[in-house]
Short mmCIF file of all heavy atoms in Angstrom, two decimals:
data_model
loop_
_atom_site.label_atom_id
_atom_site.label_comp_id
_atom_site.label_asym_id
_atom_site.label_seq_id
_atom_site.Cartn_x
_atom_site.Cartn_y
_atom_site.Cartn_z
N ASP A 18 106.19 25.29 139.61
CA ASP A 18 105.46 24.27 138.88
C ASP A 18 104.23 23.78 139.62
O ASP A 18 103.52 22.92 139.14
CB ASP A 18 106.40 23.12 138.51
CG ASP A 18 106.89 22.32 139.72
OD1 ASP A 18 106.66 22.73 140.87
OD2 ASP A 18 107.49 21.27 139.48
N GLY A 19 103.99 24.28 140.83
CA GLY A 19 102.78 23.93 141.56
C GLY A 19 102.91 22.72 142.46
O GLY A 19 101.96 22.35 143.13
N ALA A 20 104.09 22.09 142.51
CA ALA A 20 104.29 20.93 143.37
C ALA A 20 105.04 21.35 144.64
O ALA A 20 105.99 22.12 144.58
CB ALA A 20 105.07 19.85 142.63
N PHE A 21 104.58 20.85 145.78
CA PHE A 21 105.24 21.12 147.05
C PHE A 21 104.91 20.00 148.03
O PHE A 21 103.98 19.23 147.82
CB PHE A 21 104.86 22.49 147.61
CG PHE A 21 103.39 22.66 147.87
CD1 PHE A 21 102.85 22.39 149.12
CD2 PHE A 21 102.54 23.11 146.87
CE1 PHE A 21 101.49 22.54 149.36
CE2 PHE A 21 101.18 23.29 147.10
CZ PHE A 21 100.66 23.01 148.34
N THR A 22 105.67 19.93 149.10
CA THR A 22 105.47 18.90 150.12
C THR A 22 105.29 19.57 151.47
O THR A 22 106.02 20.49 151.82
CB THR A 22 106.67 17.94 150.17
OG1 THR A 22 106.86 17.37 148.88
CG2 THR A 22 106.45 16.84 151.19
N VAL A 23 104.32 19.09 152.23
CA VAL A 23 104.07 19.57 153.59
C VAL A 23 104.64 18.55 154.56
O VAL A 23 104.35 17.36 154.46
CB VAL A 23 102.56 19.76 153.83
CG1 VAL A 23 102.28 20.06 155.29
CG2 VAL A 23 101.99 20.85 152.93
N HIS A 24 105.46 19.03 155.51
CA HIS A 24 106.01 18.21 156.58
C HIS A 24 105.45 18.76 157.90
O HIS A 24 105.58 19.96 158.16
CB HIS A 24 107.53 18.27 156.62
CG HIS A 24 108.20 17.84 155.36
ND1 HIS A 24 108.40 16.52 155.05
CD2 HIS A 24 108.68 18.55 154.33
CE1 HIS A 24 109.00 16.44 153.88
NE2 HIS A 24 109.18 17.66 153.42
N MET A 25 104.84 17.89 158.71
CA MET A 25 104.27 18.31 159.99
C MET A 25 104.59 17.28 161.06
O MET A 25 104.70 16.10 160.77
CB MET A 25 102.74 18.41 159.90
CG MET A 25 102.20 19.52 159.09
SD MET A 25 100.39 19.49 159.00
CE MET A 25 99.91 19.33 160.70
N SER A 26 104.71 17.77 162.29
CA SER A 26 104.78 16.87 163.43
C SER A 26 104.10 17.57 164.60
O SER A 26 104.08 18.79 164.69
CB SER A 26 106.22 16.50 163.77
OG SER A 26 106.96 17.65 164.11
N GLY A 27 103.52 16.76 165.49
CA GLY A 27 102.82 17.32 166.63
C GLY A 27 102.01 16.25 167.32
O GLY A 27 102.22 15.05 167.11
N MET A 28 101.05 16.69 168.12
CA MET A 28 100.18 15.74 168.82
C MET A 28 99.34 14.98 167.81
O MET A 28 98.72 15.59 166.94
CB MET A 28 99.27 16.47 169.80
CG MET A 28 99.98 16.96 171.04
SD MET A 28 98.82 17.54 172.29
CE MET A 28 97.83 16.10 172.56
N PRO A 29 99.32 13.65 167.91
CA PRO A 29 98.52 12.86 166.97
C PRO A 29 97.03 13.21 167.05
O PRO A 29 96.52 13.57 168.10
CB PRO A 29 98.74 11.42 167.43
CG PRO A 29 100.00 11.45 168.22
CD PRO A 29 100.05 12.81 168.85
N SER A 30 96.37 13.14 165.92
CA SER A 30 94.93 13.30 165.84
C SER A 30 94.42 12.44 164.68
O SER A 30 95.21 11.87 163.93
CB SER A 30 94.54 14.77 165.62
OG SER A 30 95.01 15.24 164.39
N GLU A 31 93.13 12.32 164.56
CA GLU A 31 92.54 11.47 163.54
C GLU A 31 93.00 11.86 162.13
O GLU A 31 93.41 11.03 161.35
CB GLU A 31 91.02 11.53 163.62
CG GLU A 31 90.29 10.59 162.70
CD GLU A 31 90.47 9.13 163.06
OE1 GLU A 31 90.74 8.83 164.24
OE2 GLU A 31 90.37 8.28 162.15
N ARG A 32 92.90 13.18 161.85
CA ARG A 32 93.28 13.63 160.50
C ARG A 32 93.58 15.12 160.50
O ARG A 32 93.25 15.84 161.44
CB ARG A 32 92.18 13.31 159.49
CG ARG A 32 90.93 14.14 159.66
CD ARG A 32 89.91 13.85 158.55
NE ARG A 32 88.93 14.88 158.50
CZ ARG A 32 87.78 14.85 159.17
NH1 ARG A 32 87.49 13.84 159.96
NH2 ARG A 32 86.92 15.83 159.05
N VAL A 33 94.18 15.56 159.41
CA VAL A 33 94.39 16.97 159.13
C VAL A 33 93.68 17.27 157.82
O VAL A 33 93.81 16.53 156.85
CB VAL A 33 95.89 17.31 158.99
CG1 VAL A 33 96.08 18.77 158.63
CG2 VAL A 33 96.65 16.97 160.27
N ASP A 34 92.89 18.33 157.80
CA ASP A 34 92.19 18.75 156.59
C ASP A 34 92.93 19.94 156.00
O ASP A 34 93.15 20.95 156.69
CB ASP A 34 90.75 19.16 156.91
CG ASP A 34 89.94 17.99 157.45
OD1 ASP A 34 90.06 16.89 156.88
OD2 ASP A 34 89.20 18.18 158.43
N PHE A 35 93.32 19.82 154.73
CA PHE A 35 93.99 20.90 154.02
C PHE A 35 93.03 21.49 153.00
O PHE A 35 92.33 20.75 152.30
CB PHE A 35 95.24 20.39 153.29
CG PHE A 35 96.34 19.96 154.19
CD1 PHE A 35 96.56 18.63 154.45
CD2 PHE A 35 97.16 20.91 154.79
CE1 PHE A 35 97.59 18.22 155.28
CE2 PHE A 35 98.18 20.51 155.63
CZ PHE A 35 98.40 19.17 155.88
N GLU A 36 93.01 22.82 152.91
CA GLU A 36 92.19 23.52 151.92
C GLU A 36 93.04 24.61 151.29
O GLU A 36 93.74 25.33 152.00
CB GLU A 36 90.95 24.11 152.59
CG GLU A 36 90.04 23.04 153.15
CD GLU A 36 89.22 23.53 154.33
OE1 GLU A 36 89.71 24.37 155.09
OE2 GLU A 36 88.09 23.05 154.49
N LEU A 37 92.96 24.72 149.98
CA LEU A 37 93.71 25.74 149.24
C LEU A 37 92.74 26.80 148.75
O LEU A 37 91.73 26.47 148.13
CB LEU A 37 94.45 25.09 148.06
CG LEU A 37 95.42 26.00 147.32
CD1 LEU A 37 96.66 26.27 148.20
CD2 LEU A 37 95.86 25.36 146.01
N PHE A 38 93.07 28.07 149.04
CA PHE A 38 92.20 29.19 148.67
C PHE A 38 92.94 30.11 147.70
O PHE A 38 94.13 30.36 147.85
CB PHE A 38 91.80 30.01 149.91
CG PHE A 38 90.97 29.24 150.88
CD1 PHE A 38 91.57 28.50 151.89
CD2 PHE A 38 89.60 29.24 150.79
CE1 PHE A 38 90.81 27.79 152.80
CE2 PHE A 38 88.82 28.54 151.68
CZ PHE A 38 89.43 27.80 152.69
N ASN A 39 92.20 30.66 146.73
CA ASN A 39 92.77 31.65 145.82
C ASN A 39 92.66 33.03 146.47
O ASN A 39 92.13 33.17 147.58
CB ASN A 39 92.12 31.60 144.44
CG ASN A 39 90.65 31.94 144.45
OD1 ASN A 39 90.12 32.53 145.40
ND2 ASN A 39 89.95 31.57 143.39
N LEU A 40 93.13 34.07 145.78
CA LEU A 40 93.12 35.42 146.34
C LEU A 40 91.72 35.99 146.54
O LEU A 40 91.53 36.92 147.32
CB LEU A 40 93.95 36.36 145.47
CG LEU A 40 95.46 36.10 145.51
CD1 LEU A 40 96.18 37.02 144.53
CD2 LEU A 40 96.01 36.27 146.91
N ALA A 41 90.74 35.42 145.85
CA ALA A 41 89.36 35.85 146.02
C ALA A 41 88.70 35.18 147.23
O ALA A 41 87.54 35.45 147.54
CB ALA A 41 88.55 35.56 144.75
N GLY A 42 89.43 34.29 147.90
CA GLY A 42 88.89 33.59 149.06
C GLY A 42 88.10 32.34 148.73
O GLY A 42 87.49 31.75 149.61
N GLU A 43 88.13 31.93 147.46
CA GLU A 43 87.40 30.74 147.04
C GLU A 43 88.26 29.50 147.27
O GLU A 43 89.45 29.50 146.94
CB GLU A 43 87.05 30.83 145.55
CG GLU A 43 86.24 32.04 145.20
CD GLU A 43 86.19 32.29 143.70
OE1 GLU A 43 87.21 32.10 143.01
OE2 GLU A 43 85.11 32.70 143.23
N MET A 44 87.65 28.46 147.83
CA MET A 44 88.38 27.21 148.01
C MET A 44 88.52 26.54 146.65
O MET A 44 87.53 26.30 145.97
CB MET A 44 87.66 26.27 148.99
CG MET A 44 88.49 25.04 149.29
SD MET A 44 87.85 24.00 150.61
CE MET A 44 86.20 23.69 150.07
N VAL A 45 89.76 26.25 146.25
CA VAL A 45 90.02 25.68 144.92
C VAL A 45 90.59 24.26 145.00
O VAL A 45 90.77 23.61 143.98
CB VAL A 45 90.96 26.59 144.09
CG1 VAL A 45 90.27 27.91 143.79
CG2 VAL A 45 92.28 26.82 144.81
N GLY A 46 90.86 23.79 146.22
CA GLY A 46 91.36 22.43 146.39
C GLY A 46 91.24 22.01 147.84
O GLY A 46 91.23 22.85 148.74
N ALA A 47 91.11 20.70 148.08
CA ALA A 47 90.98 20.19 149.44
C ALA A 47 91.47 18.75 149.50
O ALA A 47 91.39 18.01 148.51
CB ALA A 47 89.54 20.28 149.92
N ARG A 48 92.00 18.39 150.67
CA ARG A 48 92.45 17.01 150.89
C ARG A 48 92.49 16.74 152.40
O ARG A 48 92.87 17.61 153.17
CB ARG A 48 93.85 16.82 150.32
CG ARG A 48 94.38 15.41 150.48
CD ARG A 48 95.79 15.24 150.00
NE ARG A 48 95.94 15.67 148.62
CZ ARG A 48 97.10 15.67 147.98
NH1 ARG A 48 98.20 15.28 148.59
NH2 ARG A 48 97.18 16.08 146.74
N SER A 49 92.12 15.54 152.81
CA SER A 49 92.23 15.11 154.20
C SER A 49 93.33 14.06 154.28
O SER A 49 93.43 13.19 153.42
CB SER A 49 90.92 14.51 154.70
OG SER A 49 89.94 15.51 154.79
N CYS A 50 94.15 14.14 155.33
CA CYS A 50 95.28 13.22 155.51
C CYS A 50 95.27 12.67 156.92
O CYS A 50 94.94 13.38 157.87
CB CYS A 50 96.60 13.96 155.28
SG CYS A 50 96.74 14.76 153.68
N SER A 51 95.65 11.43 157.07
CA SER A 51 95.76 10.80 158.38
C SER A 51 96.91 11.45 159.15
O SER A 51 97.98 11.73 158.61
CB SER A 51 96.02 9.31 158.22
OG SER A 51 96.29 8.73 159.48
N PHE A 52 96.68 11.69 160.44
CA PHE A 52 97.71 12.26 161.30
C PHE A 52 97.79 11.47 162.61
O PHE A 52 98.13 11.98 163.66
CB PHE A 52 97.39 13.74 161.56
CG PHE A 52 98.54 14.54 162.09
CD1 PHE A 52 99.74 14.62 161.40
CD2 PHE A 52 98.44 15.22 163.29
CE1 PHE A 52 100.81 15.36 161.89
CE2 PHE A 52 99.49 15.98 163.79
CZ PHE A 52 100.68 16.05 163.09
N GLN A 53 97.44 10.20 162.55
CA GLN A 53 97.36 9.36 163.74
C GLN A 53 98.71 9.10 164.39
O GLN A 53 98.78 8.82 165.58
CB GLN A 53 96.66 8.04 163.41
CG GLN A 53 95.20 8.25 163.03
CD GLN A 53 94.52 6.96 162.61
OE1 GLN A 53 95.16 5.97 162.32
NE2 GLN A 53 93.20 7.00 162.57
N THR A 54 99.80 9.18 163.63
CA THR A 54 101.13 8.95 164.18
C THR A 54 101.76 10.22 164.72
O THR A 54 102.79 10.16 165.37
CB THR A 54 102.07 8.34 163.13
OG1 THR A 54 102.26 9.29 162.08
CG2 THR A 54 101.52 7.04 162.57
N GLY A 55 101.17 11.38 164.41
CA GLY A 55 101.73 12.65 164.84
C GLY A 55 102.79 13.21 163.90
O GLY A 55 103.39 14.23 164.17
N THR A 56 103.02 12.51 162.78
CA THR A 56 103.92 13.02 161.75
C THR A 56 103.24 12.90 160.40
O THR A 56 102.41 12.00 160.18
CB THR A 56 105.26 12.25 161.70
OG1 THR A 56 105.00 10.89 161.42
CG2 THR A 56 106.01 12.38 163.01
N LEU A 57 103.59 13.79 159.50
CA LEU A 57 102.96 13.81 158.18
C LEU A 57 103.95 14.36 157.16
O LEU A 57 104.60 15.37 157.40
CB LEU A 57 101.72 14.71 158.21
CG LEU A 57 101.04 14.99 156.87
CD1 LEU A 57 100.28 13.76 156.40
CD2 LEU A 57 100.10 16.17 156.99
N THR A 58 104.05 13.67 156.06
CA THR A 58 104.76 14.16 154.88
C THR A 58 103.83 13.91 153.71
O THR A 58 103.55 12.76 153.37
CB THR A 58 106.10 13.43 154.67
OG1 THR A 58 106.93 13.67 155.81
CG2 THR A 58 106.80 13.93 153.43
N GLU A 59 103.30 14.97 153.14
CA GLU A 59 102.28 14.85 152.09
C GLU A 59 102.65 15.71 150.90
O GLU A 59 102.91 16.91 151.05
CB GLU A 59 100.92 15.27 152.64
CG GLU A 59 99.76 15.05 151.73
CD GLU A 59 99.38 13.58 151.57
OE1 GLU A 59 99.75 12.76 152.43
OE2 GLU A 59 98.69 13.26 150.59
N ALA A 60 102.68 15.11 149.72
CA ALA A 60 103.00 15.82 148.49
C ALA A 60 101.72 16.35 147.85
O ALA A 60 100.72 15.64 147.78
CB ALA A 60 103.74 14.91 147.52
N PHE A 61 101.77 17.58 147.39
CA PHE A 61 100.67 18.22 146.69
C PHE A 61 101.16 18.63 145.30
O PHE A 61 102.32 19.01 145.15
CB PHE A 61 100.20 19.48 147.43
CG PHE A 61 99.53 19.21 148.74
CD1 PHE A 61 100.29 19.00 149.89
CD2 PHE A 61 98.16 19.17 148.84
CE1 PHE A 61 99.68 18.75 151.11
CE2 PHE A 61 97.54 18.93 150.05
CZ PHE A 61 98.31 18.72 151.19
N ASP A 62 100.29 18.57 144.33
CA ASP A 62 100.64 19.03 142.98
C ASP A 62 99.48 19.82 142.41
O ASP A 62 98.46 19.25 142.03
CB ASP A 62 100.98 17.85 142.08
CG ASP A 62 101.49 18.30 140.71
OD1 ASP A 62 101.53 19.52 140.45
OD2 ASP A 62 101.86 17.43 139.92
N PHE A 63 99.64 21.13 142.39
CA PHE A 63 98.64 22.02 141.83
C PHE A 63 99.18 22.68 140.57
O PHE A 63 98.91 23.84 140.28
CB PHE A 63 98.22 23.07 142.87
CG PHE A 63 97.51 22.49 144.05
CD1 PHE A 63 98.11 22.44 145.30
CD2 PHE A 63 96.23 21.98 143.92
CE1 PHE A 63 97.46 21.90 146.39
CE2 PHE A 63 95.56 21.43 145.00
CZ PHE A 63 96.17 21.39 146.24
N GLY A 64 99.97 21.95 139.81
CA GLY A 64 100.59 22.47 138.59
C GLY A 64 99.61 22.88 137.52
O GLY A 64 99.94 23.66 136.63
N ASN A 65 98.37 22.41 137.61
CA ASN A 65 97.35 22.78 136.62
C ASN A 65 96.63 24.07 137.01
O ASN A 65 95.76 24.53 136.28
CB ASN A 65 96.33 21.64 136.46
CG ASN A 65 95.65 21.27 137.76
OD1 ASN A 65 96.24 21.39 138.83
ND2 ASN A 65 94.43 20.81 137.69
N PHE A 66 97.00 24.68 138.14
CA PHE A 66 96.37 25.92 138.58
C PHE A 66 97.10 27.11 137.95
O PHE A 66 98.30 27.04 137.70
CB PHE A 66 96.44 26.04 140.10
CG PHE A 66 95.45 25.18 140.83
CD1 PHE A 66 95.12 23.92 140.39
CD2 PHE A 66 94.84 25.63 141.98
CE1 PHE A 66 94.21 23.12 141.06
CE2 PHE A 66 93.93 24.85 142.66
CZ PHE A 66 93.62 23.60 142.20
N PRO A 67 96.41 28.23 137.75
CA PRO A 67 97.05 29.43 137.22
C PRO A 67 98.12 29.96 138.17
O PRO A 67 98.01 29.82 139.39
CB PRO A 67 95.90 30.43 137.10
CG PRO A 67 94.65 29.66 137.23
CD PRO A 67 94.97 28.41 137.97
N ALA A 68 99.15 30.57 137.60
CA ALA A 68 100.19 31.21 138.42
C ALA A 68 99.54 32.29 139.28
O ALA A 68 98.82 33.15 138.78
CB ALA A 68 101.26 31.80 137.53
N SER A 69 99.78 32.23 140.58
CA SER A 69 99.18 33.18 141.51
C SER A 69 99.68 32.88 142.92
O SER A 69 100.44 31.94 143.14
CB SER A 69 97.65 33.09 141.47
OG SER A 69 97.08 34.13 142.27
N VAL A 70 99.20 33.66 143.88
CA VAL A 70 99.45 33.42 145.29
C VAL A 70 98.20 32.75 145.86
O VAL A 70 97.07 33.18 145.59
CB VAL A 70 99.74 34.73 146.04
CG1 VAL A 70 99.90 34.48 147.53
CG2 VAL A 70 100.97 35.40 145.47
N TYR A 71 98.40 31.71 146.64
CA TYR A 71 97.31 30.96 147.26
C TYR A 71 97.56 30.87 148.75
O TYR A 71 98.66 31.13 149.23
CB TYR A 71 97.21 29.55 146.67
CG TYR A 71 96.86 29.52 145.21
CD1 TYR A 71 97.84 29.66 144.23
CD2 TYR A 71 95.54 29.37 144.80
CE1 TYR A 71 97.51 29.65 142.89
CE2 TYR A 71 95.21 29.36 143.45
CZ TYR A 71 96.20 29.49 142.51
OH TYR A 71 95.87 29.48 141.18
N LEU A 72 96.54 30.48 149.50
CA LEU A 72 96.66 30.29 150.93
C LEU A 72 96.26 28.85 151.25
O LEU A 72 95.15 28.42 150.90
CB LEU A 72 95.75 31.27 151.67
CG LEU A 72 95.95 31.39 153.17
CD1 LEU A 72 97.36 31.89 153.48
CD2 LEU A 72 94.94 32.32 153.78
N LEU A 73 97.17 28.11 151.88
CA LEU A 73 96.90 26.74 152.28
C LEU A 73 96.54 26.74 153.76
O LEU A 73 97.31 27.24 154.59
CB LEU A 73 98.13 25.84 152.05
CG LEU A 73 97.96 24.37 152.43
CD1 LEU A 73 96.97 23.68 151.47
CD2 LEU A 73 99.31 23.67 152.41
N ARG A 74 95.37 26.21 154.08
CA ARG A 74 94.92 26.13 155.47
C ARG A 74 94.96 24.67 155.92
O ARG A 74 94.45 23.79 155.23
CB ARG A 74 93.50 26.67 155.62
CG ARG A 74 92.96 26.53 157.04
CD ARG A 74 91.65 27.26 157.22
NE ARG A 74 90.58 26.61 156.47
CZ ARG A 74 89.37 27.15 156.33
NH1 ARG A 74 89.10 28.33 156.87
NH2 ARG A 74 88.44 26.51 155.65
N GLY A 75 95.57 24.42 157.06
CA GLY A 75 95.57 23.10 157.67
C GLY A 75 94.79 23.16 158.97
O GLY A 75 95.04 24.03 159.80
N ARG A 76 93.83 22.22 159.13
CA ARG A 76 92.99 22.22 160.34
C ARG A 76 92.99 20.83 160.95
O ARG A 76 92.87 19.83 160.24
CB ARG A 76 91.55 22.60 160.02
CG ARG A 76 91.39 24.02 159.56
CD ARG A 76 89.95 24.41 159.39
NE ARG A 76 89.31 23.54 158.39
CZ ARG A 76 88.02 23.31 158.34
NH1 ARG A 76 87.21 23.83 159.21
NH2 ARG A 76 87.51 22.54 157.40
N SER A 77 93.09 20.79 162.30
CA SER A 77 93.03 19.52 163.01
C SER A 77 92.59 19.78 164.44
O SER A 77 93.28 20.51 165.17
CB SER A 77 94.40 18.84 163.01
OG SER A 77 94.36 17.64 163.73
N GLU A 78 91.48 19.21 164.82
CA GLU A 78 90.96 19.28 166.19
C GLU A 78 91.01 20.70 166.77
O GLU A 78 91.55 20.92 167.85
CB GLU A 78 91.71 18.30 167.08
CG GLU A 78 91.46 16.86 166.71
CD GLU A 78 92.07 15.87 167.67
OE1 GLU A 78 92.70 16.28 168.67
OE2 GLU A 78 91.93 14.67 167.40
N GLY A 79 90.48 21.64 166.03
CA GLY A 79 90.38 23.01 166.52
C GLY A 79 91.61 23.87 166.29
O GLY A 79 91.57 25.07 166.53
N ARG A 80 92.72 23.28 165.85
CA ARG A 80 93.92 24.06 165.55
C ARG A 80 93.94 24.38 164.07
O ARG A 80 93.59 23.55 163.23
CB ARG A 80 95.17 23.27 165.94
CG ARG A 80 95.27 23.03 167.44
CD ARG A 80 96.49 22.22 167.76
NE ARG A 80 96.41 20.91 167.11
CZ ARG A 80 96.27 19.76 167.74
NH1 ARG A 80 96.18 19.75 169.04
NH2 ARG A 80 96.23 18.63 167.07
N VAL A 81 94.37 25.60 163.75
CA VAL A 81 94.40 26.05 162.37
C VAL A 81 95.77 26.68 162.07
O VAL A 81 96.27 27.46 162.88
CB VAL A 81 93.29 27.08 162.09
CG1 VAL A 81 93.33 27.55 160.63
CG2 VAL A 81 91.93 26.50 162.42
N VAL A 82 96.35 26.31 160.91
CA VAL A 82 97.61 26.87 160.47
C VAL A 82 97.44 27.33 159.02
O VAL A 82 96.81 26.63 158.23
CB VAL A 82 98.74 25.83 160.57
CG1 VAL A 82 100.04 26.37 160.01
CG2 VAL A 82 98.92 25.36 161.98
N TYR A 83 98.00 28.49 158.70
CA TYR A 83 97.96 29.01 157.33
C TYR A 83 99.37 29.11 156.77
O TYR A 83 100.30 29.43 157.50
CB TYR A 83 97.31 30.39 157.29
CG TYR A 83 95.84 30.39 157.60
CD1 TYR A 83 95.39 30.57 158.90
CD2 TYR A 83 94.91 30.22 156.60
CE1 TYR A 83 94.03 30.57 159.19
CE2 TYR A 83 93.55 30.22 156.88
CZ TYR A 83 93.12 30.39 158.18
OH TYR A 83 91.79 30.38 158.46
N GLN A 84 99.50 28.83 155.47
CA GLN A 84 100.78 28.98 154.80
C GLN A 84 100.54 29.54 153.40
O GLN A 84 99.68 29.06 152.66
CB GLN A 84 101.49 27.63 154.69
CG GLN A 84 102.83 27.70 154.01
CD GLN A 84 103.84 28.53 154.80
OE1 GLN A 84 104.01 28.34 155.99
NE2 GLN A 84 104.51 29.44 154.13
N LYS A 85 101.31 30.58 153.05
CA LYS A 85 101.21 31.14 151.70
C LYS A 85 101.88 30.21 150.71
O LYS A 85 102.96 29.68 150.98
CB LYS A 85 101.87 32.52 151.68
CG LYS A 85 101.82 33.18 150.32
CD LYS A 85 102.27 34.62 150.34
CE LYS A 85 103.66 34.79 150.87
NZ LYS A 85 104.16 36.17 150.75
N VAL A 86 101.25 29.98 149.57
CA VAL A 86 101.78 29.13 148.50
C VAL A 86 101.82 29.97 147.23
O VAL A 86 100.81 30.58 146.85
CB VAL A 86 100.90 27.88 148.27
CG1 VAL A 86 101.40 27.08 147.09
CG2 VAL A 86 100.85 27.04 149.53
N ILE A 87 102.98 30.02 146.58
CA ILE A 87 103.12 30.77 145.32
C ILE A 87 103.31 29.77 144.19
O ILE A 87 104.25 28.98 144.23
CB ILE A 87 104.31 31.74 145.38
CG1 ILE A 87 104.11 32.74 146.52
CG2 ILE A 87 104.48 32.45 144.05
CD1 ILE A 87 105.31 33.61 146.80
N ILE A 88 102.41 29.80 143.24
CA ILE A 88 102.51 28.95 142.05
C ILE A 88 102.96 29.84 140.91
O ILE A 88 102.31 30.84 140.59
CB ILE A 88 101.19 28.24 141.73
CG1 ILE A 88 100.82 27.30 142.89
CG2 ILE A 88 101.29 27.48 140.41
CD1 ILE A 88 99.51 26.58 142.72
N GLN A 89 104.09 29.49 140.30
CA GLN A 89 104.66 30.30 139.21
C GLN A 89 104.40 29.69 137.87
O GLN A 89 104.30 28.54 137.71
CB GLN A 89 106.14 30.50 139.43
CG GLN A 89 106.43 31.22 140.73
CD GLN A 89 107.92 31.41 140.95
OE1 GLN A 89 108.77 30.78 140.33
NE2 GLN A 89 108.24 32.30 141.87
#
C-alpha cells in the first residue's frame, strides 16, 4: 500500500535527509527529519505512487544508507 516506517539509531546529528528514487534514477520524493536525539521513527506513505521498486536514500553528515522499497 506504499506505507512504511523507518527506525534508526546512531550518533546524533542535526538531521537526516531521505530521498526516494524510481528505477530510472529520478528523485520522486524527499523529506528531512530531525536526528538530534540519535533515534528516529518516521512514517512514510507513498501509496499514491505506482507499484514498482524504489530506492530510499538516507543521508546525514557524510554518511549514506540505501534501502530498497517495494510498493505493490
Side-chain angles (χ1 to χ4, degrees):
D18 68 350
F21 60 93
T22 303
V23 172
H24 302 279
M25 290 178 49
S26 62
M28 286 191 58
S30 64
E31 185 68 25
R32 70 176 196 269
V33 177
D34 297 316
F35 292 102
E36 296 152 327
L37 188 71
F38 296 90
N39 63 18
L40 291 176
E43 302 166 322
M44 186 171 54
V45 294
R48 181 184 305 177
S49 292
C50 303
S51 173
F52 197 58
Q53 294 176 344
T54 65
T56 60
L57 172 74
T58 299
E59 187 72 20
F61 292 82
D62 186 357
F63 294 110
N65 58 330
F66 283 38
S69 186
V70 176
Y71 295 85
L72 192 62
L73 180 69
R74 177 171 69 188
R76 294 186 300 156
S77 179
E78 294 186 1
R80 295 178 299 248
V81 180
V82 176
Y83 291 92
Q84 181 65 49
K85 180 171 58 173
V86 175
I87 301 171
I88 297 177
Q89 299 180 343

